[in-house]
Amino acid sequence: MSNGVEYNLRLNNSGFNGPLTEARSSLGGFKTFSVGSMAVVGAAVAGAALAVKGLHAAWTEAKAAVGEAADRETMQTAFIPLLGSAKAAKDRMMELADFAAHTPFQLPEIAAASRTLETLTDGALSTGQGLTMVGDVASGTNTPFEELAVTIGRLYSGLDSGRPVGEAMQRLQEVGAITPEVRTKLEKLQAEGKKGSEVWRVAAEDLARFSGGMELQSQTWNGKLSTLGDAWSEVRAQFGEPIMDALKPLLDDGISTIENMAVKAREIGETIAYAMRFM
């Protein structure tokens, strides 16, 4: 109101409100659409990430399986010269794998011990009851399997041939595997010129005191973990062996290609050297 004059201003905003309402409605629809779309995209990305992670885990496990199979192949091959044939070596590895699956020891140390006993005892203690005896004594005296296999193998070899075994008997007495009385008896028998199975039987009877030692250790926590590890290693080896065999031809091709590259590389090097001398 100014100087007694009153003004009333009325605006018709219907033309503005209509588009504004439509715009708000469109924005709301876009929001709903964008949220839903982003959820779909997010789910797809998450699924892809899980798939990549799964593939990585599968590839890692496949490499581990091939590695396990390759390690066993190497151990098996080492038996061929000792046993005389690939079949005998394969049979030995199968036997040792079964032995490992039921004892608190791992296959690599068992295979190494079996090879040692094969050479020192001419196969008398490298499998079956002989290997079991060594394992029982190792369990009962808490001595590494491979170490005890070497010591008992030397004892057997010396008693069988009549050679001195003082060092081996001393070590076995230190770990409590042989009593002082038995050591004295063995020394007396050797002094009398006795050798072979008659003398070894005296030692074997004393070592038999530890019979069942592996079974007792297998029931412990660490023993069960070892058995579980052996079982899983067997699964890996069986899974990885056919993959390894399938990849071998590719390795042969790669070796051949690299060997050819070496020849070409020398030719190129000689050409460059000639050019440098000429310059």
Side-chain angles (χ1 to χ4, degrees), residues 92-175:
R92 174 65 61 87
M93 280 302 301
M94 291 177 61
E95 181 180 354
L96 296 179
D98 182 69
F99 183 88
H102 297 89
T103 66
F105 301 107
Q106 299 293 312
L107 180 58
E109 60 183 337
I110 292 173
S114 181
R115 286 196 304 271
T116 298
L117 292 170
E118 184 69 32
T119 58
L120 290 177
T121 71
D122 196 23
L125 302 181
S126 59
T127 59
Q129 294 182 350
L131 198 63
T132 299
M133 180 194 68
V134 175
D136 284 338
V137 178
S139 296
T141 60
N142 198 27
T143 306
F145 195 98
E146 291 183 60
E147 176 190 333
L148 200 63
V150 172
T151 306
I152 292 181
R154 288 175 177 173
L155 177 65
Y156 179 94
S157 178
L159 294 179
D160 186 58
S161 62
R163 291 191 299 269
V165 291
E167 183 179 347
M169 285 197 293
Q170 180 179 350
R171 179 53 183 158
L172 290 173
Q173 186 178 346
E174 288 173 352
V175 300

Side-chain angles (χ1 to χ4, degrees), residues 23 51 55 69 79 98 102 127 142 149 171 186 206 210 240 254 266 279:
L55 289 174
F79 277 107
D98 182 69
H102 297 89
T127 59
N142 198 27
R171 179 53 183 158
L186 290 173
D206 196 36
F210 298 93
R266 182 171 183 82
M279 292 174 62

Side-chain angles (χ1 to χ4, degrees), residues 68-92:
E68 181 68 32
D71 290 342
R72 294 198 178 197
E73 183 184 41
T74 299
M75 289 186 280
Q76 178 175 310
T77 303
F79 277 107
I80 295 178
L82 293 177
L83 303 181
S85 70
K87 182 181 183 306
K90 184 176 182 179
D91 292 341
R92 174 65 61 87

